[in-house]
Amino acid sequence: MSTLSAEKLRIDKWLWAARFFKTRSLAKAAIEGGKVQLGGQRVKVSREIVVGDQLRIRQGWDERDVIVLGLSDQRRGAPEAQALYEETEESIARREQSAQARKLAGGMIDRPPGKPDKRARRQIHRFQNLNDA
């Protein structure tokens, strides 16, 4: 099989070829974990997809709704991989809105100024050892 010649393709192979995941095993783990849905339903790794299917893919904080435009079982460059799908306008707007909200909330979270010094590290270890016992 090669680009755009297949009529059906396993979803894990397509996710890998479309560069959503670095390896097929990561794609498989995401599918089994329920992070990939086809038409609102969880799918199995061996599920075959066809052109026109709508997928919802959750990666970290982001959730993308994409429409399959082409099939490929070969991983190629990013421009060719992006031609395999189209992200919906709603999905793009939702991702941008959540990214903006995370960015604004990030300023409110108090973080330590840097790495802990020797004294602080000892206190952390003492605290962890008390909770382990």
Side-chain angles (χ1 to χ4, degrees), residues 17-100:
R19 294 184 164 261
F20 284 103
F21 298 98
K22 277 189 170 187
T23 63
R24 279 185 59 195
S25 61
L26 288 174
K28 177 183 174 196
I31 294 167
E32 289 173 345
K35 294 183 176 21
V36 178
Q37 297 178 349
L38 174 67
Q41 300 290 319
R42 288 180 67 162
V43 293
K44 292 185 178 180
V45 178
S46 61
R47 173 68 188 250
E48 292 184 336
I49 60 171
V50 295
V51 174
D53 282 346
Q54 186 165 355
L55 300 173
R56 177 166 283 178
I57 304 163
R58 197 170 342 136
Q59 291 180 298
W61 298 102
D62 294 331
E63 192 170 277
R64 300 173 188 248
D65 291 333
V66 298
I67 300 169
V68 178
L69 298 179
L71 301 176
S72 175
D73 65 351
Q74 296 178 344
R75 189 174 171 99
R76 299 193 185 261
E80 292 178 43
Q82 290 172 349
L84 297 176
Y85 64 91
E86 177 184 16
E87 188 171 4
T88 62
E89 296 295 325
E90 298 166 352
S91 173
I92 294 169
R94 190 174 57 233
R95 278 192 312 114
E96 288 174 353
Q97 184 180 9
S98 66
Q100 186 67 24

